[in-house]
Amino acid sequence: MNYAASLAVVGVLTFFFPVAVRIGSYYDVSRSLVITTLMAALTFVAATLVIRWQVARYRSMSAILEQARTQVSADPDNPRAYFVGSEHLAGLLLRLGRRREAAEIIERYAHLGGATPSDIQSLRALLSQTERRQKRGS
């Protein structure tokens, strides 16, 4: 587990311990010790699993993104190079929260000769949907 993940676990535990103390004061001392220890261990395990899952998901997305970038740099004039499997490079960037890069890729893709108008339109719609969601969240 890396440094950031460890800090996240400590943060979760920091917020959990006052709750555990309050639960412990509600019960008698022996139960309090058991409940607090059990809950701390369960919180640590749950936080560790969630963090590992998120890191693994981010790494796999980064690997796919790197593959797509390699394809585009190898053949920038081929519209099929912008796809990894069935997903467009701009869609991957939007899922990672990189709107500016996605907008640049969409514009570059739109200027290619073999790009289909339906693909361009769907990518622009996805970009505008992401931007609207971002504005609503702010």
Side-chain angles (χ1 to χ4, degrees):
M1 194 163 32
N2 63 16
Y3 182 70
S6 299
L7 282 177
V9 170
V10 169
V12 168
L13 289 176
T14 301
F15 285 110
F16 175 76
F17 276 123
V19 173
V21 168
R22 189 166 285 200
I23 290 171
S25 68
Y26 181 75
Y27 295 102
D28 61 341
V29 175
S30 63
R31 283 189 192 172
S32 169
L33 181 62
V34 171
I35 289 173
T36 303
T37 304
L38 179 63
M39 293 299 244
L42 289 176
T43 303
F44 181 76
V45 168
T48 302
L49 291 175
V50 168
I51 290 167
R52 284 179 172 247
W53 173 71
Q54 288 178 342
V55 168
R57 187 180 65 158
Y58 182 79
R59 283 183 182 163
S60 68
M61 288 294 296
S62 295
I64 293 170
L65 181 63
E66 188 59 37
Q67 178 186 358
R69 285 183 173 164
T70 303
Q71 285 178 196
V72 170
S73 65
D75 193 7
D77 295 328
N78 182 3
R80 296 304 311 161
Y82 287 80
F83 287 90
V84 174
S86 62
E87 190 160 13
H88 195 276
L89 173 59
L92 289 169
L93 289 168
L94 287 173
R95 283 190 6 208
L96 289 173
R98 300 177 182 178
R99 287 188 346 252
R100 288 184 184 166
E101 288 180 68
E104 291 173 9
I105 293 294
I106 291 170
E107 289 306 312
R108 193 176 340 151
Y109 182 72
H111 293 295
L112 291 178
T116 61
S118 63
D119 283 342
I120 296 167
Q121 185 178 11
S122 65
L123 289 170
R124 286 183 175 155
L126 185 62
L127 178 64
S128 65
Q129 180 183 21
T130 304
E131 288 174 348
R132 279 192 306 258
R133 196 177 312 133
Q134 178 83 19
K135 286 179 185 176
R136 267 189 276 145
S138 299

